[in-house]
Amino acid sequence: MILKLVRSLFPWLLIMVMGIVWGLSFSLPKIAVDHGTPPLTLIVWQSLLAGFFLLGMMMFGKIKIPFEKDLLGLCLVIAVCGFIIPGVSFYYAAPHVQAGILSITVTLVPILTYAISIPFGIEKPEMKRILGLVFGTFAILFIVIPENSLPKTDAIPWILLSCLGSSFYSIEGIVIATKMPKKISPIGVSCIGNFLAVFFLFPLLYGSGQQTTLEWPPDTAGLAIFGISLISAIAYTLYLYVIKLS
């Protein structure tokens, strides 16, 4: 009885921990960018450090990845929809939008996930859920639109850009829920996704002429990047676990 209760509550506990950990990450990118770190540099270092952190976890836990034919495609979707596009959108918007507003745009993920799932037949339209979708959208607008939350109208395009990142999180979640094999560890998939993001972004970073090194010992921006990387590795892996359990 107790074991059954623990199993039923475990996904909710993961969601709560993931929300707390991920919520800490929205102030750190703004700190890093405000202290002179270019957005592309931030994304590349975040993915690189998170990838090595997860690789260390795999080696410590002796986690192996069975290389199946669909694994690379799945990891590519995770790299593009989970790291590259959301990272670019959030980190370029960070200097222009309050950290609280950025975090609120992420609440669009479950709303958009359900909205996207209906046309593809993954979810059935239910009046309660549709009403929740509508009310949830209005709730976000009531928080974001008032003058005390959005003092400058020129921040609107940057908010829309961060919403773009949330929409790709939704697409990624649907792909993971429908295509991720049960026997593959989320830690391994997240690790590969991070390294693929670095592989695709590093040429852009090098070609843009942006800063490619970190100061040592780390300054304020460097400490923020290390913090973001650790939080990203933990929170994103929990995110994959939650999708897998659902």
Side-chain angles (χ1 to χ4, degrees), residues 30-59:
K30 192 168 182 63
I31 292 172
V33 173
D34 288 346
H35 281 78
T37 305
L40 278 180
T41 301
L42 179 55
I43 301 166
V44 170
W45 276 107
Q46 173 192 318
S47 296
L48 185 64
L49 294 174
F52 278 118
F53 176 76
L54 292 168
L55 183 62
M57 290 179 62
M58 290 175 61
M59 295 173 65

Side-chain angles (χ1 to χ4, degrees), residues 2-3 7 19-20 22 28 34 40 46 55 58 80 93 104 125 131 138 143 146 153-154 188 212 220 222:
I2 297 176
L3 184 60
R7 285 180 177 176
I20 293 171
W22 216 329
L28 294 178
D34 288 346
L40 278 180
Q46 173 192 318
L55 183 62
M58 290 175 61
V80 174
I104 290 170
L131 287 174
F138 275 114
I143 295 173
T153 56
D154 56 3
T212 57
T220 301

Side-chain angles (χ1 to χ4, degrees), residues 47-65 187-188 190-192 194-195 230 233 237:
S47 296
L48 185 64
L49 294 174
F52 278 118
F53 176 76
L54 292 168
L55 183 62
M57 290 179 62
M58 290 175 61
M59 295 173 65
F60 181 78
K62 297 181 180 180
I63 298 172
K64 296 181 180 180
I65 303 176
I187 295 177
S190 181
C191 178
I192 296 173
N194 273 290
F195 284 131
L230 181 61
T237 302

Side-chain angles (χ1 to χ4, degrees), residues 77 81 109 113 168-178 239 243:
V77 170
C81 297
V109 175
T113 300
F168 275 88
Y169 275 139
S170 300
I171 295 170
E172 175 205 26
I174 292 172
V175 173
I176 292 171
T178 55
Y239 173 64
I243 294 176

